[in-house]
Amino acid sequence: MNKKQISLLLLLTLVLSSFFLFDLGVFFNLSYFQQQREILLEYKNSHFLLSSAAYFCLYTLITAFSLPTAAIVTVIGGAIFGLWWGLLLVSFASSIGASAAFLMARTLLRDWVQDTYGQRLGTLNEGIEKDGIFYLFTLRLIPVFPFFLVNVLMALTPIRLRDFYWVSQLGMLFGTALYVEVGVQLGLAESLPAIFSVGMIRVLLLLAVFPWISRALLRLLRQQKLYREFSKPQSFDANLIIIGAGSAGLVSAYIAVLSKAKVILIEKDRMGGDCLNTGCVPSKALIRRAGVKNLIDRAEEFGIDSQPAKVDFPALMRGIKDSIEKIAPHDSVERYSKLGVECVQADAKILSPYRVQVGDQEITGRQIVIASGASPLIPDIPGLQEISYVTSDSIWNLNELPKRFLVLGAGPIGCELAQAFARLGSQVCIADKQALPLSKEDEDVSLAVLQCLEKDGICFLGQHELLRFKREAEVCRAIFRYEQQERLLDFDVVLIALGRKANTENLGLEVLGLEKNQNGTIKVNEYLQTSYPNIYACGDVAGPY
């Protein structure tokens, strides 16, 4: 520490220890003020400028050294000087005192904190340089942290002193006015019952609604900041633009068009999304067929003499496609067009909170719903391109039942498809990093599922870490690490079921800077609004899973 820091630290120690050691807080409470009230008012009336200067300096010192009396002294200022003069004194004194505390904390701590934790604070420093004024204004307007703590914490960041001062001055103004008005009403009261006057009740009500008023103001300021870079069209092509015609997008379009909204629905692939084409419908059709095969194989358990069932796999897959085709009209362009939805088949890219590029065309909408869904996660596994693999999207294109079927991932998708293919006759093996299948569930559930899988003849390899794939002649192999040793497993087809990722690429979200969760889904509030209030996200692209 240099001489300046040592001197400042000694001064802080002296002031704070004196305040608590000599119990100076007794002079800064309402009961003491009531006792000295007439004397203070008389002195103010006879020495107005001197008393104002003394109060101003005292308040500045209190806030500069973060003494726990600022709120009471604010009220006393209103009682002595009235609303407007008291507000003027307190507003400038508190901002100057806060700036002094800011400078002391910066002198004592900032260099040490930045030198010690500079790398960890890199993101925070960038955020403060970009939006520090807004963060500080938020803290001043809605005092989530104590007054003195805001001074200290902001001193450790790159925010400039002049910005700290004027934002503090502006942000604290309304709250300061309320506390000063409390003092005014207190000064007018001649007795305890008089405190509960209409004026005091009005002030208390304002104090109660102040947080809501502040939040509304901050919300308005945040929206203005978000939208200021984008021009709002004079007229709109649609009330609602929906990107993605899966379950979430179709329901959104259906409800909106029934509400007489003009809706444009954009889908680059097939109507119905995952649920109709690669998820719910085909997987349950497969499970149904596998279940029938399993019942026939277990006929003796029910006292029925039956011949072993033979699976015609191409016919089975055609039956699954027939199931999709039966349901497809409910999700079709024809049906939604008749409802009044304008259906567009093309890629969509968001240009602004109001504009979406569709092919070579640009359309505008008051609201936008992102319902682009999710897709299988394909990790960068060495040798993956050398072998035959499928995902939950592409498995429906198989024309031949795999003899040796390897499933990577023991989540819901991996387990249900593994069981279905095992019941149809494949030799199935599931491999997962976790010790049990469905590892996110309770252990007793995972154990029950494991028993069911083993009963169907499925080999479960827990705690197996996949290292790479390789092909030798016509043989596909997976190499795992298990108990510090390598383990080889041959297969014909492997299902990659290691999770799903939100479809957010090439949508233009980077232009808007939409916030995302750690798993890549778009961050939304309880109303499914993104950081832009007129842009919503729903379905798999919003998660939480």
Side-chain angles (χ1 to χ4, degrees), residues 387-389 403-407 427 466 468-471 474-480 489-495:
I387 52 93
S388 300
Y389 77 91
K403 183 178 179 182
R404 295 171 299 180
F405 189 47
L406 172 61
V407 177
Q427 181 184 330
L466 178 64
R468 62 190 179 276
F469 291 112
K470 69 176 181 178
R471 177 186 285 274
E474 296 301 316
V475 179
C476 296
R477 285 195 174 128
I479 294 90
F480 296 94
L489 188 67
D490 294 347
F491 61 89
D492 298 312
V493 175
V494 59
L495 168 66

Coordinates of all heavy atoms in Angstrom, one line a residue, residues 387-389 403-407 427 466 468-471 474-480 489-495:
I387 N -18.6 -44.6 -40.3 CA -19.5 -45.7 -39.9 C -21.0 -45.4 -40.2 O -21.3 -44.2 -40.6 CB -19.3 -46.1 -38.4 CG1 -19.5 -44.8 -37.5 CG2 -18.0 -46.7 -38.2 CD1 -20.8 -44.6 -37.0
S388 N -21.8 -46.4 -40.1 CA -23.3 -46.1 -40.3 C -23.9 -45.7 -39.0 O -23.9 -46.5 -38.0 CB -23.9 -47.4 -40.8 OG -23.3 -47.9 -42.0
Y389 N -24.5 -44.5 -39.0 CA -25.1 -44.1 -37.8 C -26.5 -43.4 -38.2 O -26.7 -42.9 -39.3 CB -24.3 -43.1 -37.0 CG -24.2 -41.7 -37.5 CD1 -25.1 -40.7 -37.1 CD2 -23.2 -41.4 -38.5 CE1 -25.0 -39.4 -37.6 CE2 -23.1 -40.1 -38.9 CZ -24.0 -39.1 -38.5 OH -23.9 -37.8 -39.0
K403 N -29.0 -56.1 -37.3 CA -28.7 -57.3 -36.6 C -28.1 -56.9 -35.2 O -28.5 -57.4 -34.2 CB -27.8 -58.3 -37.3 CG -27.6 -59.6 -36.6 CD -26.7 -60.5 -37.4 CE -26.5 -61.8 -36.6 NZ -25.6 -62.8 -37.4
R404 N -27.1 -56.1 -35.3 CA -26.4 -55.6 -34.0 C -26.6 -54.1 -34.0 O -26.1 -53.4 -34.8 CB -24.9 -55.9 -34.1 CG -24.6 -57.4 -34.0 CD -23.1 -57.7 -34.3 NE -22.7 -57.2 -35.6 CZ -21.5 -57.3 -36.1 NH1 -20.5 -57.9 -35.4 NH2 -21.2 -56.8 -37.3
F405 N -27.4 -53.7 -33.0 CA -27.8 -52.3 -32.9 C -27.2 -51.7 -31.6 O -27.5 -52.1 -30.5 CB -29.4 -52.3 -32.9 CG -30.0 -50.9 -33.0 CD1 -29.5 -50.0 -34.0 CD2 -31.0 -50.5 -32.2 CE1 -30.1 -48.7 -34.1 CE2 -31.6 -49.2 -32.3 CZ -31.1 -48.3 -33.2
L406 N -26.4 -50.7 -31.8 CA -25.7 -50.0 -30.7 C -26.5 -48.7 -30.5 O -26.7 -47.9 -31.4 CB -24.3 -49.8 -31.0 CG -23.5 -48.9 -30.0 CD1 -23.5 -49.5 -28.6 CD2 -22.1 -48.6 -30.4
V407 N -26.8 -48.4 -29.2 CA -27.5 -47.1 -28.9 C -26.6 -46.4 -27.9 O -26.2 -46.9 -26.9 CB -28.8 -47.4 -28.2 CG1 -29.5 -46.1 -27.7 CG2 -29.8 -48.2 -29.1
Q427 N -30.2 -57.4 -31.9 CA -29.3 -57.6 -30.7 C -28.9 -56.2 -30.3 O -28.0 -55.6 -31.0 CB -28.1 -58.5 -31.1 CG -27.2 -58.8 -30.0 CD -25.9 -59.5 -30.4 OE1 -26.0 -60.3 -31.4 NE2 -24.8 -59.3 -29.8
L466 N -17.3 -43.1 -24.6 CA -16.9 -43.4 -26.0 C -15.7 -42.6 -26.4 O -15.6 -41.4 -26.2 CB -18.1 -43.0 -26.9 CG -17.9 -43.2 -28.4 CD1 -17.6 -44.6 -28.8 CD2 -19.0 -42.6 -29.2
R468 N -13.9 -43.3 -29.7 CA -13.9 -43.1 -31.2 C -14.6 -44.3 -31.8 O -14.9 -45.3 -31.2 CB -12.4 -43.0 -31.7 CG -11.6 -44.3 -31.4 CD -10.1 -44.1 -31.7 NE -9.3 -45.3 -31.4 CZ -8.9 -45.6 -30.2 NH1 -9.1 -44.8 -29.2 NH2 -8.1 -46.7 -30.1
F469 N -14.8 -44.1 -33.1 CA -15.3 -45.2 -34.0 C -14.2 -45.5 -35.0 O -13.3 -44.7 -35.3 CB -16.6 -44.7 -34.8 CG -17.8 -44.5 -34.0 CD1 -18.3 -43.2 -33.8 CD2 -18.4 -45.6 -33.4 CE1 -19.5 -43.0 -33.0 CE2 -19.6 -45.4 -32.6 CZ -20.1 -44.1 -32.4
K470 N -14.3 -46.7 -35.5 CA -13.4 -47.1 -36.6 C -14.1 -48.2 -37.4 O -14.9 -49.0 -36.9 CB -12.1 -47.5 -36.1 CG -12.0 -48.8 -35.4 CD -10.6 -49.2 -35.0 CE -10.4 -50.5 -34.3 NZ -9.1 -50.9 -34.0
R471 N -13.8 -48.2 -38.7 CA -14.3 -49.3 -39.6 C -13.1 -50.1 -40.1 O -12.1 -49.6 -40.5 CB -15.0 -48.7 -40.8 CG -15.5 -49.7 -41.8 CD -16.1 -49.0 -43.0 NE -17.4 -48.4 -42.7 CZ -18.5 -49.1 -42.8 NH1 -18.5 -50.4 -43.2 NH2 -19.7 -48.5 -42.6
E474 N -15.7 -54.6 -43.4 CA -17.1 -54.3 -43.3 C -17.6 -54.2 -41.9 O -18.8 -54.2 -41.6 CB -17.8 -55.5 -44.0 CG -17.6 -55.6 -45.5 CD -17.9 -54.3 -46.2 OE1 -19.0 -53.7 -45.9 OE2 -17.2 -53.8 -47.1
V475 N -16.6 -54.2 -40.9 CA -17.0 -54.2 -39.5 C -16.9 -52.8 -38.9 O -15.8 -52.2 -39.1 CB -16.1 -55.2 -38.7 CG1 -16.5 -55.2 -37.2 CG2 -16.2 -56.6 -39.3
C476 N -18.0 -52.4 -38.3 CA -18.0 -51.1 -37.6 C -17.7 -51.3 -36.1 O -18.3 -52.2 -35.5 CB -19.3 -50.4 -37.8 SG -19.7 -49.9 -39.5
R477 N -16.8 -50.6 -35.5 CA -16.5 -50.8 -34.1 C -16.5 -49.5 -33.4 O -16.2 -48.4 -33.9 CB -15.0 -51.4 -34.0 CG -15.0 -52.8 -34.4 CD -13.7 -53.5 -33.9 NE -13.7 -54.9 -34.2 CZ -12.8 -55.6 -34.8 NH1 -11.7 -55.0 -35.2 NH2 -12.9 -56.9 -35.0
A478 N -16.9 -49.6 -32.1 CA -16.9 -48.5 -31.2 C -15.9 -48.8 -30.1 O -15.9 -49.9 -29.6 CB -18.3 -48.2 -30.5
I479 N -15.0 -47.8 -29.8 CA -14.0 -48.0 -28.7 C -14.4 -47.2 -27.5 O -14.5 -46.0 -27.6 CB -12.6 -47.7 -29.2 CG1 -12.2 -48.6 -30.4 CG2 -11.6 -47.8 -28.1 CD1 -12.5 -48.2 -31.7
F480 N -14.6 -47.8 -26.4 CA -15.0 -47.2 -25.1 C -13.8 -47.2 -24.1 O -12.9 -48.1 -24.2 CB -16.2 -47.9 -24.5 CG -17.4 -47.8 -25.4 CD1 -17.7 -48.8 -26.2 CD2 -18.3 -46.7 -25.3 CE1 -18.9 -48.8 -27.0 CE2 -19.4 -46.7 -26.0 CZ -19.7 -47.7 -26.9
L489 N -16.5 -52.8 -29.2 CA -17.8 -53.3 -29.5 C -18.2 -53.2 -30.9 O -18.2 -52.1 -31.5 CB -18.9 -52.6 -28.6 CG -20.3 -53.2 -28.6 CD1 -20.3 -54.5 -27.9 CD2 -21.2 -52.2 -27.9
D490 N -18.5 -54.3 -31.6 CA -18.9 -54.3 -33.0 C -20.4 -54.1 -33.1 O -21.2 -54.5 -32.3 CB -18.5 -55.7 -33.6 CG -17.0 -55.9 -33.7 OD1 -16.3 -54.9 -33.4 OD2 -16.6 -57.1 -33.9
F491 N -20.8 -53.4 -34.2 CA -22.2 -53.2 -34.5 C -22.4 -53.0 -36.0 O -21.5 -52.8 -36.8 CB -22.6 -51.9 -33.7 CG -21.9 -50.7 -34.2 CD1 -22.3 -49.9 -35.2 CD2 -20.7 -50.3 -33.5 CE1 -21.6 -48.7 -35.6 CE2 -20.0 -49.1 -33.9 CZ -20.4 -48.4 -35.0
D492 N -23.7 -53.0 -36.4 CA -24.0 -52.8 -37.7 C -24.6 -51.3 -37.9 O -24.2 -50.7 -38.9 CB -25.1 -53.8 -38.2 CG -24.6 -55.2 -38.2 OD1 -23.5 -55.5 -38.7 OD2 -25.3 -56.1 -37.6
V493 N -25.4 -50.9 -37.0 CA -25.9 -49.5 -37.0 C -25.8 -49.0 -35.6 O -26.1 -49.7 -34.6 CB -27.4 -49.5 -37.5 CG1 -28.0 -48.1 -37.4 CG2 -27.5 -50.0 -38.9
V494 N -25.5 -47.7 -35.5 CA -25.5 -47.1 -34.2 C -26.4 -45.9 -34.2 O -26.5 -45.1 -35.1 CB -24.0 -46.6 -33.8 CG1 -23.5 -45.6 -34.8 CG2 -24.0 -45.9 -32.4
L495 N -27.2 -45.8 -33.1 CA -28.1 -44.7 -32.9 C -27.4 -43.7 -32.0 O -27.1 -44.0 -30.8 CB -29.4 -45.2 -32.2 CG -30.4 -44.1 -31.7 CD1 -30.9 -43.2 -32.9 CD2 -31.5 -44.7 -30.9

